[in-house]
């Protein structure tokens, strides 16, 4: 086998692949990341419509009566399992759908999976907009959840695989940026449609068709990733796409590495079982913990129920929706900051700094509510302003750290043979705990009251310590190089990813020497 120009095991220097940032790659990634628009819109729209009287009166009359009878500061007036089910059903459906999405992503490609997601989104929008009873409303949310499962499975993988290594973090964060734009768009829409009586809520739900159609149509025009094409045996097409997205004909080093990784991947008969192997434990543990921690920052509690939360804290209808728009705008701006900083400052620094910032802001919010919000009183204007500022401080920290990096890091750390299965675990765990928070938050708010912010602050402290000691830096490392350049140099994880012994091979999971899909110089 002739000598190759890609990385050689055992050498300190690793050659970077040739290629430039082509307009085609940027445009393709923007179209693919439009799946985040739909995800974000679904997150943002539910909190707005569930605070609208016309919506509550039609679908949740018990909550409507409780809201009218309760004092404006009553913590428990929105505590209703059916109302929480309206929000959380989307995420339970996404949890189930992600397992089917894993199959289509691996066997048919990232692009068809995104098309399926778009079609689910369109169907869900139609049902929700035309809903005449609670069953129809929930079925629409379930279809939207299926779209979330397929989109969240395929889009992060697509972005990580098609992006050049040096800007992989920035392009991958386009998904999270679009998610934040979707949340902001939803908050602005809710602010306007709340004044349209009695069908403003239908307009809020129906405008989700814009991002749904954008993803559906966009998926028809983007290319499949070279990784997926090579994995499915379409070598020539994969090489042609690689030349197109890298803007150079000299793609042999990167292409040969993809082919070798694919050859290793095909020896794995059971990807999900392979995830449990010792050599894949670092990626699996990191992935599961990141998804759990991301939800227990408390961000989705704020984003799901921002208008409801602000009303509960003493804000009037217009003020609560307006405050949601402000936090949505902060979310977008902070995510843009992350795009420009993630490949320069690195993943670890952003996560640790944000953890400190989120902890401080949540503690301040809890103290202010505990002191300033009594059962029969309203918040003072000054206290309310400080709380909104602290919420914005919290949201900004999350948006440039745990929001995008919770998706970026898992998508770039798994080797090709377990990447699709690993992404399924990522989406699955994320949606399980998103469902838990969405279903439980209003009840937790009712029982914990202001203490809920101390609850989330405690979790933030735990996850910051986790990052400090157990999360290695992955910036500017080619995806197929992660084992050699990252995991084997970590004080703990190196114990799990040392070279594979023959005794570790079983059930067709044989690996010649390395688990991440690249042979060393001698085997060449």
């Amino acid at each position: 086998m002739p000598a190759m120009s890609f990385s050689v095991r055992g050498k300190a220097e690793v050659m970077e692949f040739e290629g430039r940032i082509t307009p085609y790659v940027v445009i393709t990634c923007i179209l693919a990341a439009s799946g985040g628009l739909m995800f974000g819109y679904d997150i943002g729209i539910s909190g707005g419509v569930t605070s609208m009287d016309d919506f509550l009166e039609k679908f949740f009359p018990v909550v409507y009566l409780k809201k009218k009878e309760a004092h404006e500061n009553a913590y428990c007036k929105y505590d209703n399992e059916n109302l929480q089910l309206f929000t959380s059903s989307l995420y339970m459906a996404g949890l189930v759908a992600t397992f089917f999405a894993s199959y289509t992503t691996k066997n048919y490609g990232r692009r068809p999976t995104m098309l399926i997601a778009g079609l689910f989104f369109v169907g869900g929008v139609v049902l929700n907009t035309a809903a005449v009873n609670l069953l129809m409303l929930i079925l629409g949310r379930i279809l939207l959840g299926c779209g979330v499962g397929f989109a969240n499975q395929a889009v992060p993988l697509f972005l990580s695989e098609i992006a050049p290594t040096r800007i992989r973090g920035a392009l991958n964060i386009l998904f999270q940026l679009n998610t934040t734009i979707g949340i902001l768009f939803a908050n602005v829409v809710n602010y306007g449609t709340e004044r349209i009586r009695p069908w403003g809520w239908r307009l809020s739900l129906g405008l989700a068709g814009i991002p749904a159609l954008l993803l559906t149509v966009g998926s028809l025009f983007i290319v499949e990733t070279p990784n997926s094409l090579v994995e499915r045996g379409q070598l020539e097409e994969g090489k042609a796409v690689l030349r197109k997205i890298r803007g150079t004909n000299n793609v042999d080093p990167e292409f040969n590495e993809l082919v070798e990784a694919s050859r290793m991947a095909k020896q794995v008969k059971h990807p999900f079982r392979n995830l449990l192997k010792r050599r894949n434990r670092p990626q699996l543990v990191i992935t599961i913990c990141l998804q759990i921690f991301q939800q227990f920052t408390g961000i989705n509690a704020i984003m799901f129920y921002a208008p409801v939360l602000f009303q509960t804290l003493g804000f009037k209808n217009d003020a609560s929706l307006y405050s949601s728009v402000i936090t949505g705008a902060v979310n977008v701006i902070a995510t843009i900051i992350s795009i420009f900083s993630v490949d320069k400052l690195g993943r670890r620094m952003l996560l640790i700094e944000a953890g400190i910032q989120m902890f401080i802001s949540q503690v301040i919010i809890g103290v202010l509510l505990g002191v300033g919000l009594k059962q029969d009183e309203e918040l003072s204007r000054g206290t309310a302003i400080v709380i909104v500022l602290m919420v914005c401080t919290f949201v900004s920290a999350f948006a440039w750290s745990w929001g995008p990096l919770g998706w970026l890091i898992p998508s770039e750390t798994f080797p090709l043979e377990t990447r699709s299965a690993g992404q399924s675990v990522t989406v699955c765990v994320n949606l399980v705990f998103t469902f838990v928070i969405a279903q439980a938050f209003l009840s937790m708010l009712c029982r914990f009251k202001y203490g809920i912010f101390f609850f989330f602050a405690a979790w933030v402290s735990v996850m910051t310590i986790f990052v400090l000691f157990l999360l290695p830096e992955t910036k500017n490392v080619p995806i197929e190089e992660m084992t050699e350049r990252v995991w084997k140099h970590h004080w703990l994880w190196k114990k799990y990813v040392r070279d594979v012994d023959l005794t570790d091979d079983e059930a067709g999971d044989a690996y010649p020497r390395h688990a991440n899909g690249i042979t060393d110089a001698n085997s060449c």
Side-chain angles (χ1 to χ4, degrees), residues 321-394:
L321 289 170
Y322 186 64
S323 299
S324 300
V325 172
I326 293 176
T327 56
V330 169
N331 200 11
V332 173
I333 294 170
T335 304
I336 294 174
I337 293 174
S338 181
I339 289 177
F340 289 100
S341 61
V342 65
D343 290 315
K344 295 178 181 179
L345 299 179
R347 285 63 161 150
R348 276 171 48 85
M349 181 178 291
L350 288 176
L351 291 171
I352 293 171
E353 183 281 329
I356 297 171
Q357 185 173 325
M358 288 190 293
F359 177 84
I360 293 173
S361 59
Q362 285 178 317
V363 169
I364 292 175
I365 292 172
V367 171
L368 289 176
L369 291 179
V371 173
L373 184 61
K374 306 301 181 183
Q375 187 67 24
D376 297 321
E377 299 176 4
E378 291 186 355
L379 285 172
S380 67
R381 178 179 176 83
T383 302
I385 291 174
V386 174
I387 287 176
V388 172
L389 288 175
M390 287 299 99
V391 168
C392 290
T393 301
F394 168 81

Side-chain angles (χ1 to χ4, degrees), residues 226-237:
N227 309 62
S228 178
L229 291 169
V230 170
E231 185 180 20
R232 290 179 288 122
Q234 302 176 37
L235 301 185
E236 290 303 317
E237 187 176 349

Side-chain angles (χ1 to χ4, degrees), residues 1-4 6 256-257 259-260 263 519-524:
M1 183 177 184
M4 296 182 181
F6 55 92
N256 288 334
E257 186 159 325
V259 172
E260 182 64 16
R263 184 178 71 82
T519 57
D520 59 20
N522 293 331
S523 63
C524 287

Side-chain angles (χ1 to χ4, degrees), residues 38 41-42 121 125 144 185 203-213:
M38 192 69 213
Y41 193 89
D42 286 332
F121 282 139
V125 170
L144 291 175
F185 180 39
L203 184 58
S204 287
L205 297 177
L207 286 176
I210 296 176
L213 289 174

Side-chain angles (χ1 to χ4, degrees), residues 106-356:
K106 180 176 178 62
N107 293 282
Y108 299 101
R110 287 54 164 155
R111 180 172 170 262
T113 305
M114 286 187 282
L115 177 60
I116 294 172
L119 295 175
F120 273 125
F121 282 139
V122 171
V125 170
V126 171
L127 270 180
N128 272 349
T129 306
V132 294
N133 53 50
L134 183 58
L135 177 61
M136 195 171 176
L137 194 68
I138 297 299
L139 287 176
R141 293 287 289 180
I142 289 174
L143 286 181
L144 291 175
C146 292
V148 167
F150 275 78
N152 287 15
Q153 167 75 19
V155 173
L157 284 184
F158 180 94
L159 295 174
S160 287
E161 291 178 346
I162 208 166
T165 299
R166 64 184 180 276
I167 62 164
R168 183 177 65 239
L171 288 183
N172 191 284
I173 290 175
L174 283 175
F175 179 74
Q176 181 67 19
L177 175 62
N178 277 352
T179 300
T180 62
I181 292 174
I183 293 172
L184 175 59
F185 180 39
N187 288 332
V188 171
V189 167
N190 284 333
Y191 183 72
T193 58
E194 196 273 336
R195 295 169 172 76
I196 302 175
R197 310 293 297 273
W199 51 270
W201 61 270
R202 290 192 187 275
L203 184 58
S204 287
L205 297 177
L207 286 176
I210 296 176
L213 289 174
L214 184 59
L215 176 63
T216 305
V217 175
S219 63
L220 297 175
F221 293 96
I222 61 177
V223 297
E224 185 56 85
T225 69
N227 309 62
S228 178
L229 291 169
V230 170
E231 185 180 20
R232 290 179 288 122
Q234 302 176 37
L235 301 185
E236 290 303 317
E237 187 176 349
K239 193 169 188 177
V241 170
L242 193 59
R243 291 194 188 103
K244 188 173 186 179
I245 64 177
R246 296 293 180 254
T248 178
N249 289 325
N250 185 25
V251 296
D252 286 347
E254 184 173 4
F255 180 73
N256 288 334
E257 186 159 325
L258 290 178
V259 172
E260 182 64 16
S262 176
R263 184 178 71 82
M264 297 294 186
K266 289 179 179 179
Q267 298 181 37
V268 178
K269 305 299 183 183
H270 307 286
F272 282 98
R273 185 188 305 170
N274 190 63
L275 276 177
L276 301 178
K277 296 276 185 79
R278 180 181 176 86
R279 58 177 171 265
N280 291 317
R281 201 164 298 165
Q283 300 96 316
L284 186 61
V285 171
I286 292 291
T287 291
I288 292 175
C289 290
L290 285 180
Q291 301 314 306
I292 295 174
F293 290 150
Q294 187 191 66
Q295 299 313 308
F296 277 89
T297 59
I299 185 63
N300 277 337
I302 291 176
M303 289 305 176
F304 289 157
Y305 301 108
V308 171
L309 177 62
F310 284 124
Q311 281 192 24
T312 300
L313 298 182
F315 293 69
K316 302 299 182 182
N317 264 22
D318 284 354
S320 67
L321 289 170
Y322 186 64
S323 299
S324 300
V325 172
I326 293 176
T327 56
V330 169
N331 200 11
V332 173
I333 294 170
T335 304
I336 294 174
I337 293 174
S338 181
I339 289 177
F340 289 100
S341 61
V342 65
D343 290 315
K344 295 178 181 179
L345 299 179
R347 285 63 161 150
R348 276 171 48 85
M349 181 178 291
L350 288 176
L351 291 171
I352 293 171
E353 183 281 329
I356 297 171

